[in-house]
C-alpha cells in the first residue's frame, strides 16, 4: 500500500503473533464490520534485546521497511524512542512518563509541527488491577492520545486470548507510520 493511501486511513487493527524468540505484529486496515482488511504493516521485536528496536515492514516478506523505532539509550527507560522512516529519517518520537505512570500509564507522542499528544489509560481501576494483580494483566485497556479534551487517536486492547488492538485516528495530520509504531509499542513496551 502506498503512503498516501495509508495516510487516508482512520481505523487500523493490530494483532500480535506470539513466537518463541520474537514478538510479531500484523497491522491491517479495518473493514466496516471490524474484520481485518488488507495488511499495511508487519513488525518484529526480538525479546530480551539489549537495546529495544522494532522494525515495521510493509508485509511479512520483510523486503520493504515502512518505519521503525529504537530506544535512545540502552538503560534509561524514560529516555524515549525515535521513530524513523524507511530511509532512516526521523518522523517522530514517543516516551513513557514513569512518574505519572504510577496509577495509570502515561505516554508522550511527538510529531514535528504538531503539539505533543499525551496518551493515558482511560480507566484507572483497570490500570491498577492490571498493574498490581499479575493474573489480571490480560484485561483490555484503552489509551486516548490528545491535547486536553481533543483526542488525536485512541488504541483499544480487545478481549480475547491473543493481543488485538483497534486504532482510531481522529486527526488527519498524524503520520500513520508514527501511530502504528506507538500502537505496537503499547504492547511491546507497556510492561516496562
Amino acid at each position: 500500500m502506498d503512503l498516501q493511501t495509508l495516510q487516508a486511513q482512520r481505523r487500523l487493527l493490530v494483532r500480535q503473533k506470539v513466537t518463541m524468540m520474537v514478538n510479531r505484529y500484523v497491522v491491517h486496515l479495518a473493514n466496516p464490520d471490524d474484520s481485518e482488511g488488507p495488511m499495511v504493516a508487519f513488525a518484529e521485536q526480538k525479546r530480551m534485546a539489549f537495546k529495544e528496536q522494532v522494525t515495521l515492514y510493509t508485509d511479512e516478506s520483510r523486503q520493504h521497511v515502512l518505519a521503525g523505532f529504537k530506544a535512545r539509550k540502552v538503560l534509561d527507560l524514560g529516555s524515549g524512542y525515535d521513530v524513523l522512516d524507511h530511509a532512516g529519517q526521523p518522523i517522530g518520537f514517543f516516551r513513557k512518563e514513569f512518574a505519572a505512570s504510577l496509577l495509570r500509564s502515561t505516554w508522550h507522542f511527538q510529531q514535528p509541527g504538531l503539539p505533543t499528544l499525551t496518551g493515558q489509560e482511560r480507566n484507572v481501576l483497570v490500570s491498577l488491577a492490571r498493574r498490581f494483580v499479575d493474573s489480571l494483566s490480560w484485561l483490555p485497556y484503552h489509551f486516548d492520545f490528545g491535547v486536553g479534551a481533543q483526542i488525536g487517536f485512541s488504541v483499544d486492547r480487545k478481549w480475547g486470548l491473543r493481543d488485538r488492538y483497534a486504532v482510531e485516528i481522529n486527526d488527519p495530520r498524524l503520520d500513520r507510520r508514527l501511530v502504528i509504531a506507538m500502537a505496537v509499542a503499547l504492547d511491546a513496551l507497556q510492561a516496562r
Side-chain angles (χ1 to χ4, degrees), residues 167-185:
V167 180
E168 188 76 38
I169 306 161
N170 302 319
D171 187 336
R173 302 172 299 169
L174 294 175
D175 189 315
R176 300 320 192 248
R177 299 167 299 174
L178 186 55
V179 171
I180 290 169
M182 184 75 248
V184 168

Side-chain angles (χ1 to χ4, degrees), residues 103-104 122-131 136 139:
L103 291 179
R104 56 185 173 170
R122 183 183 288 175
N123 189 320
V124 176
L125 294 176
V126 170
S127 174
L128 289 171
R130 280 189 323 97
R131 188 168 274 103
L136 296 178
L139 283 173

